[in-house]
Structure formats: C-alpha cells, structure tokens
Amino acid sequence: AAIPAQSPSAMAVAGFYKRPLPSPPAIDFSSLQGKELFREAFQAGTMEGFFNLIAYFQTQAEPAYCGLASLAVVLNALSIDPGRTWKGPWRWYDESMLDCCEPLENVKAKGITFAKLACLAKCAGAEVVTFRSSQSSLAEFRDRIVQCMTSGEKHVIVSYHRRLLGQVAATFSNAA
C-alpha cells in the first residue's frame, strides 16, 4: 500500500488540489451517483465512444492546453496516424504536435479558440463538423451527443464556460 512520506499538512502549498465540484450541476465521476449514471448509460448503449477515448486519455501538460489534450485523445481514438513520431518509434498524438493553426506559445498563454481547435483537427486529418449552441437547440445538441456516444467512430469536443458551472477558470474543453 502506498502511504504519504509526510503528513499532507506538512506538504501543503498555495493552489488548487481536488476542489469539490459544484453539485449540481456537476457530478463527480467516481461518486455513487456518477457510477450509477455510468451504469445507466452503459446499459442504454451510449458508452461506446467512452471506451475508445479512455484508452488514450492524457492529462493536459499546461493549464491552457485543455483543448489540445482533448483533441489529442480524440485523434488517437480515431486511429489517425500523425505521420511523425512522438517519442522513439511511437507515432501518437500529443499536445506538442498540434501546432499547425496556432503556435503552442500562444495557446499556452491564451488557450485556443473553438475555430482554431477545429482547424487543428482538420489539419490532422479528422472530418470535422462544428456547431455552436447559438446555432442549435438543446434537443439538437443532445441528439448529436447521443449519436457520438453510441457510435464509437464519432467523437465530440465540447467547449464550455466553466464559470457558468461554478468552477474556476474561464473556458474548458472535454472530449466525449
């Protein structure tokens, strides 16, 4: 069993660590409610996309790289060959390889726009369909999510404003 070398209070530093999610609307994935939602979605057949994505999950290397990390996960899940090596002989998408539409230093400083993220996905060879909440209804949005989650061959990256959900930071992207 792993145990901390020092007491947590001795190692505490300023910053964020495991901030509780504002519930509602957010639900902790590992909570009983989160597990129940997962079970229901699995039984309904709407978790096919999850299994392709989770195999390629990676944590973002920089706070502003949420869009890049989400895109790298999706590109790897779609089995799109980057055509160049990541490390050693391995061809695999990583955030550091997603710079054809916006320099990484700019993304690191400011994040990435929805349009530039779509540009990166196209540049990498993905078929991209973009839509904004202002251009569709909630029912249309949910239909698109269900189409992707029942497919396993289609994925969606959602960009949203975290403050509207009571979270820290401005915008965030997640792959589904």
Side-chain angles (χ1 to χ4, degrees), residues 14 35 69 114 126:
K35 291 175 184 177
F114 179 72

Side-chain angles (χ1 to χ4, degrees), residues 44-157:
T46 55
M47 292 300 288
E48 294 306 310
F50 171 81
F51 295 105
N52 287 347
L53 293 169
I54 198 65
Y56 299 101
F57 179 80
Q58 56 186 301
T59 300
Q60 64 199 60
E62 295 288 341
Y65 279 9
C66 50
L68 297 183
S70 295
L71 181 56
V73 169
V74 168
L75 294 172
N76 289 320
L78 291 171
S79 298
I80 296 176
D81 188 339
R84 57 184 170 152
T85 58
W86 164 61
K87 292 183 182 180
W90 303 106
R91 293 196 314 260
W92 164 278
Y93 275 101
D94 178 75
E95 302 145 313
S96 65
M97 301 166 75
L98 299 171
D99 60 356
C100 67
C101 300
E102 186 72 19
L104 289 175
E105 284 306 310
N106 291 357
V107 177
K108 187 176 179 179
K110 300 181 293 186
I112 193 160
T113 66
F114 179 72
K116 294 278 177 128
L117 190 65
C119 174
L120 285 171
K122 290 176 187 174
C123 184
E127 182 180 325
V128 178
V129 176
T130 61
F131 67 99
R132 297 179 179 275
S133 60
S134 61
Q135 299 169 332
S136 66
S137 68
L138 181 58
E140 290 170 321
F141 173 74
R142 287 180 173 162
D143 285 345
R144 289 175 190 253
I145 296 295
V146 169
Q147 287 172 17
C148 290
M149 295 309 297
T150 56
S151 160
E153 297 175 11
K154 296 179 183 178
H155 299 287
V156 62
I157 297 177

